[in-house]
Amino acid sequence: MGIAGDIALILVAALVGGIIAQRLGLPLILGYIVAGVAVGPNTIGPSVGETHDIELLAEIGVALLLFTIGLEFSLKELASVRKVALIGTPIQLALTMAFGYGLGQLLGFGWQEAVWFGAILSVSSTAVVLKTLSEQGVMGTLSSKVIIGMLIVQDLAIVPMIILLPELGNIGQGLSEVGIAGVESAIFIAAMAIFGVRIFPWLMGRIVSWGSRELFLISVVAIGIGIGYGTYLFGLSFAFGAFVAGMVLSQSEYSHQALADVSPLRDVFTMLFFVSVGMLINPSALWEQAGVIALVVASLFVVKGLIFAGISRAFGYGNIVPFAVGLGLFQVGEFSFVIARLGVSEGGISQNTYSIALTAAVVTMALTPFATRLAPILYGRYRERRPRELMSSFNVPDSGMSDHVVIAGYGRVGMFVARLLERLDKNFVIIENNPARSDAAREAGYPTVYGDVVADPVLEAASVGRARLVILTIPDALNTRLAVDRVRSHNDDVRIVARSERVEQLEELGKLGVYEAVQPEFEAGLELGRQALSQLGVGAETIQRFSDQVRRELYAPMNDGADSDGLLSQLRRTSQMIETEWMRVAEGSDLSGKSIAESEVRTKTGVSVVAVVREEEVIPSPAPDATLEAGDVVGVLGTTDQRRAFRETFGCVREEMPAF
């Protein structure tokens, strides 16, 4: 059946490999790669016949992956890491090429072949890294921003590489071609800027107005793939053009729907890429040259990882970032295949070198999901060895604090929490490792410990062992996990409230023993929904019940991760039953003209009167001898049955929540 039969075979193999990987708790990427080995031309059994055609389809998978990343990516986010991306990445490429050149010389390659070998090893895998970051739920963290910024510049660097490498004997000619490619790239980017501002919004508006979801999907894919092809014609990579298209679309109001529609298609084509990577592995060659390949892989893991970590540290990124960057980008990338194939066709490298480089690339790709999980572990051990690095405190009593709140992070969220606690006259201390933010907290007069929240001396200085509550405002998922673990080691009973960047993170936080979590985007969306329902005339009580229900559904994964029979779960279930309801005292009611105590409200119904609104006057927490009058709006707190009993006993009717 030709390519149709090959795709059917790949889909079945990928399904089996994915299921096995899922059941074993392994990354899906690994299951796809193993499936590729199984159906590849180098193993017995059913195999793919049109390998080259599958590789071409796999390029679409990489392009769609970068297109969707572009949809979620913002140029403003890239701006924050522009220095390490634009300056650090070229340094990394040069250092890694020098390392690869030396390794090639050690393996007996000639000088030109060693240069080619160094270039092959210098770039990392955009597809594997982005897929791994997405699966682990750490997209949007500072580490991921640095990684994505460096990957983008690496992809751009492929163009001068494939121009200069064949001209190693005539560098001058190669440099002139690089200049021409640079001019073409500038023209393309300028054209994209005009298209994104003037043409694209009008085009998408017309398509959306027709009301055809099918046409909308086709138009989105056509834009992503079409612009990718445009970059290819301008001498840039096909995948990079798709990324640019995604960034253009991300600025429009249609980006969220586009992402939702394209994601399933992206997953299928990305699977083809990883299967095609596995098809390149030759188990017999891997066995024959196991020693050489092991040397290359180990050297990449150590040396290339240290180069990335060192550069990110040199550009001012501390804490877990160097570990995450080094362990996330040590692998050899898919664009290395392009360089390797060009090297063979140009006579720059031998078939043996091509095989070594190819196998090392695939092995390092397969190891990437495991390596990234080592980042918090290695970082924790590093902090144990250097526990007192850059720690100082301000306005914290020498004897320490007790029964207080620890706020980890003094960004916008931490600043708001600190101001709120200050107004309520509650004791708290701030932990912040950013010098500027730490200085801002000190200028505000807040007790502050400068240092890393995962460092034991810092936690000791903040008296975490005697704290009542710890609030983790840090958005980095990896740092949050490590912080929870370190806090628990100092105070197993303290309540921890954490910030969750993704819904997928909630279950893990629940298993870690976090008391409560907040998902900022959801809370903002829920409040906007509440305001919309209020403007549409929906009753306040109905809005409150609806909001509580939606919130319970969202945070269910966290509750499932915790002990469902524990005290915390019981308290949550109880709090979900108890609500405040507003009722008006009618003429002739048994409440009219009597005090709360005389009416025996609590004894007869079980509710508590928490507030009384009389015309323009608000009486919070009224005393038992407070007299109620006809027309008063009373706020009662109790369960559903208790509030019903109050209505029936005293003849009150529900009221909208008063506007205080």
Side-chain angles (χ1 to χ4, degrees):
M1 292 181 62
I3 191 172
D6 290 341
I7 292 177
L9 179 61
I10 288 173
L11 287 172
V12 173
L15 175 62
V16 175
I19 291 174
I20 294 175
Q22 180 74 21
R23 298 298 295 173
L24 295 178
L26 301 175
L28 291 178
I29 293 174
L30 190 59
Y32 298 153
I33 292 176
V34 172
V37 175
V39 299
N42 301 309
T43 55
I44 59 175
S47 61
V48 173
E50 304 295 336
T51 305
H52 179 66
D53 291 341
I54 298 301
E55 291 174 354
L56 294 177
L57 289 175
E59 291 185 18
I60 298 178
V62 176
L64 286 175
L65 177 63
L66 288 180
F67 177 62
T68 54
I69 294 298
L71 284 172
E72 298 178 285
F73 198 72
S74 170
L75 287 175
K76 294 180 181 179
E77 295 179 357
L78 181 59
S80 63
V81 296
R82 61 184 180 276
K83 289 185 178 179
V84 68
L86 298 176
I87 302 174
T89 307
I91 297 174
Q92 171 267 316
L93 289 171
L95 291 176
T96 310
M97 287 183 69
F99 149 69
Y101 176 84
L103 184 60
Q105 292 280 289
L106 180 65
L107 296 175
F109 301 161
W111 76 268
Q112 288 197 18
E113 189 171 22
V115 171
W116 278 91
F117 190 65
I120 292 171
L121 301 185
S122 65
V123 294
S124 304
S125 174
T126 303
V128 172
V129 173
L130 294 183
K131 182 71 172 177
T132 301
L133 293 177
S134 178
E135 285 186 353
Q136 295 182 359
V138 294
M139 293 293 289
T141 63
L142 180 58
S143 301
S144 69
K145 292 177 183 178
V146 174
I147 288 172
I148 292 173
M150 300 187 80
L151 284 171
I152 291 172
V153 177
Q154 277 193 355
D155 290 347
L156 286 172
I158 294 297
V159 178
M161 278 189 188
I162 61 178
I163 292 174
L164 290 174
L165 287 172
E167 304 292 339
L168 287 176
N170 186 9
I171 294 296
Q173 177 66 25
L175 289 175
S176 65
E177 293 183 14
V178 170
I180 295 173
V183 173
E184 292 176 341
S185 302
I187 295 173
F188 171 77
I189 293 174
M192 281 302 304
I194 297 173
F195 174 80
V197 173
R198 299 186 178 278
I199 302 175
F200 180 77
W202 174 83
L203 177 62
M204 292 304 298
R206 291 296 300 273
I207 294 174
V208 170
S209 67
W210 294 335
S212 173
R213 185 168 183 176
E214 183 178 347
L215 278 179
F216 179 80
L217 172 61
I218 294 174
S219 65
V220 169
V221 175
I223 288 171
I225 302 301
I227 293 177
Y229 182 66
T231 55
Y232 171 76
L233 295 178
F234 271 83
L236 295 171
S237 73
F238 178 62
F240 175 74
F243 178 79
V244 173
M247 286 200 297
V248 170
L249 184 57
S250 70
Q251 306 303 312
S252 76
E253 59 184 302
Y254 312 110
S255 60
H256 299 295
Q257 186 60 47
L259 179 62
D261 288 349
V262 174
S263 292
L265 190 64
R266 170 205 62 188
D267 292 338
V268 173
F269 276 94
T270 305
M271 174 274 296
L272 284 177
F273 167 75
F274 292 114
V275 172
S276 69
V277 168
M279 289 164 55
L280 298 173
I281 296 179
N282 188 338
S284 61
L286 182 63
W287 176 258
E288 292 172 0
Q289 304 201 47
V292 175
I293 293 170
L295 172 64
V296 174
V297 171
S299 300
L300 284 167
F301 184 81
V302 176
V303 180
K304 189 176 179 181
L306 287 175
I307 289 173
F308 273 107
I311 287 176
S312 59
R313 188 69 185 91
F315 278 81
Y317 296 95
N319 303 324
I320 201 171
V321 175
F323 293 87
V325 174
L327 292 169
L329 296 175
F330 79 94
Q331 77 288 124
V332 181
E334 57 274 358
F335 288 121
S336 297
F337 302 158
V338 177
I339 299 175
R341 288 168 184 163
L342 180 64
V344 172
S345 63
E346 294 288 337
I349 61 174
S350 65
Q351 192 64 41
N352 181 60
T353 304
Y354 175 81
S355 177
I356 293 173
L358 201 63
T359 307
V362 175
V363 172
T364 53
M365 284 181 181
L367 291 176
T368 298
F370 301 101
T372 54
R373 295 178 181 178
L374 293 175
I377 299 174
L378 294 180
Y379 177 54
R381 293 181 179 177
Y382 168 78
R383 296 306 308 177
E384 291 174 359
R385 292 180 176 272
R386 304 188 65 179
R388 298 189 177 275
E389 180 182 353
L390 299 175
M391 190 199 78
S392 62
S393 60
F394 168 78
N395 209 17
V396 179
D398 293 336
S399 58
M401 305 175 70
S402 62
D403 199 34
H404 60 293
V405 180
V406 177
I407 304 173
Y410 192 68
R412 287 175 295 180
V413 176
M415 185 183 302
F416 178 83
V417 175
R419 289 175 179 173
L420 180 64
L421 294 178
E422 181 186 31
R423 292 181 63 177
L424 296 174
D425 198 26
K426 301 296 182 181
N427 292 328
F428 64 91
V429 61
I430 294 167
I431 297 177
E432 177 57 65
N433 63 358
N434 182 292
R437 292 177 180 174
S438 177
D439 291 342
R442 295 183 183 191
E443 291 174 4
Y446 299 146
T448 306
V449 177
Y450 173 60
D452 197 335
V453 69
V454 300
D456 291 331
V458 173
L459 295 176
E460 292 169 3
S463 302
V464 167
R466 298 192 298 274
R468 182 177 182 179
L469 176 68
V470 174
I471 301 176
L472 301 176
T473 70
I474 49 181
D476 192 316
L478 296 177
N479 256 341
T480 299
R481 298 172 199 166
L482 196 56
V484 171
D485 179 66
R486 302 313 302 163
V487 168
R488 285 288 178 218
S489 68
H490 286 261
N491 189 341
D492 193 48
D493 297 325
V494 70
R495 290 182 174 181
I496 301 176
V497 177
R499 174 180 173 182
S500 172
E501 284 301 291
R502 301 172 66 89
V503 175
E504 294 80 5
Q505 191 183 352
L506 292 172
E507 183 176 357
E508 181 180 5
L509 291 174
K511 291 179 180 178
L512 289 173
V514 172
Y515 176 77
E516 197 66 83
V518 177
Q519 217 279 322
E521 288 80 5
F522 167 76
E523 294 294 341
L526 183 60
E527 182 58 29
L528 289 173
R530 287 167 56 92
Q531 296 295 332
L533 292 175
S534 177
Q535 295 299 319
L536 293 173
V538 179
E541 184 181 355
T542 302
I543 294 175
Q544 187 62 45
R545 286 200 302 269
F546 176 75
S547 299
D548 291 343
Q549 177 64 28
V550 174
R551 185 176 280 108
R552 285 195 295 268
E553 291 174 358
L554 177 90
Y555 291 114
M558 182 176 176
N559 299 337
D560 294 341
D563 181 9
S564 60
D565 297 325
L567 177 60
L568 175 59
S569 297
Q570 295 177 26
L571 289 173
R572 280 179 175 153
R573 287 195 293 268
T574 302
S575 67
Q576 291 165 8
M577 295 166 54
I578 300 175
E579 295 179 357
T580 300
E581 189 171 328
W582 296 92
M583 305 187 198
R584 185 175 295 276
V585 179
E587 292 285 349
S589 170
D590 290 343
L591 290 174
S592 180
K594 296 182 180 180
S595 69
I596 298 174
E598 290 174 342
S599 301
E600 299 181 331
V601 172
R602 186 70 179 272
T603 302
K604 293 180 178 179
T605 66
V607 302
S608 298
V609 178
V610 296
V612 177
V613 180
R614 180 175 299 154
E615 296 181 350
E616 300 298 325
E617 181 186 5
V618 179
I619 306 173
S621 302
D625 59 356
T627 301
L628 301 178
E629 301 176 1
D632 287 350
V633 178
V634 182
V636 297
L637 177 69
T639 64
T640 303
D641 292 339
Q642 290 170 341
R643 299 194 309 274
R644 183 187 303 111
F646 180 85
R647 289 194 302 271
E648 295 173 352
T649 301
F650 298 107
C652 296
V653 293
R654 290 175 178 168
E655 276 287 326
E656 300 296 332
M657 183 182 295
F660 300 128

